[in-house]
Amino acid sequence: MPKQKDGRYRSKVTVGHDADGKPIVKYASGRTKKELADSAEELKRTYVGGREVQRDAVFGPYVMNWYKTYKEPKLSAGSRQSYESIFNAHLLPALKDRQLRAITASDLQSLLNGKAGMCTTSIGYMHSVLTRVFRQAMAEGIIDRDPTLALSKPAAQKAHRRALTKAEAD
């Protein structure tokens, strides 16, 4: 593919067909062949997907929108309170202002590992929320990879128990 006069590569991308069956063409351009391929892929995501993909989504607003849309309508009042507590006390303070694409698997595993002393139910809620949020973001095309694929829950710490002495039992 030849370069344009301004030094950029340019190619046609067919993004669909109109009512008469004629192809709808958009043009992608880039200074390198990699930029050209990325630009063409972005055009396909934008037009073929039917809507603009929000690639720069931030964790805090995205997770709350996910919760309101997919989770909250199915929960009892007690479960709502538990989820909101998990969001406000643990997930949002750690990840609120970070872009979804910038969050790595090691970030998420470190977050969960830091909560190892908590009850297993709370850790399970956190693991479930993170897994479902990132799967939804991947389904919507916001992220290209799911950082929760190898995410594991930390082992629960067992409390040390000892038998009561005869005096304590009395």
Side-chain angles (χ1 to χ4, degrees):
M1 83 192 57
K3 285 188 175 184
Q4 300 285 316
K5 289 181 182 178
D6 64 357
R8 294 185 300 168
Y9 293 99
R10 185 171 180 194
S11 70
K12 289 182 182 180
V13 178
T14 302
V15 295
H17 293 82
D18 63 12
D20 297 329
K22 294 180 184 177
I24 300 171
V25 176
K26 299 291 178 185
Y27 290 91
S29 63
R31 296 224 176 264
T32 64
K33 289 183 180 182
K34 170 130 178 56
E35 280 184 20
L36 176 63
D38 291 344
S39 177
E41 190 62 35
E42 191 65 30
L43 279 173
K44 288 177 187 175
R45 263 194 223 108
T46 301
Y47 290 98
V48 176
R51 64 181 177 84
E52 182 70 30
V53 176
Q54 184 186 359
R55 300 281 292 170
D56 59 349
V58 176
F59 182 83
Y62 185 81
V63 76
M64 294 314 294
N65 183 51
W66 169 85
Y67 173 70
K68 299 277 186 209
T69 305
Y70 297 102
K71 200 68 182 168
E72 188 178 40
K74 302 174 190 174
L75 297 175
S76 67
S79 292
R80 276 191 199 115
Q81 188 175 13
S82 295
Y83 271 90
E84 289 171 7
S85 173
I86 293 296
F87 290 138
N88 295 328
H90 303 288
L91 297 180
L92 291 178
L95 303 170
K96 176 174 67 175
D97 296 326
R98 297 196 50 197
Q99 284 190 1
L100 288 172
R101 293 185 312 157
I103 298 172
T104 64
S106 62
D107 293 336
L108 298 177
Q109 192 64 57
S110 295
L111 174 66
L112 283 182
N113 290 345
K115 307 298 181 183
M118 292 177 59
C119 71
T120 55
T121 302
S122 295
I123 292 173
Y125 278 157
M126 279 191 277
H127 184 271
S128 174
V129 166
L130 291 171
T131 301
R132 291 178 181 170
V133 164
F134 282 96
R135 283 187 187 155
Q136 185 64 38
M138 192 167 154
E140 292 177 11
I142 295 171
I143 57 175
D144 298 322
R145 55 162 180 68
D146 183 358
T148 63
L149 287 177
L151 193 61
S152 63
K153 298 177 196 173
Q157 295 178 351
K158 295 187 178 190
H160 176 68
R161 292 183 176 185
R162 67 172 181 81
L164 296 175
T165 64
K166 184 163 173 80
E168 289 174 335
D170 292 338

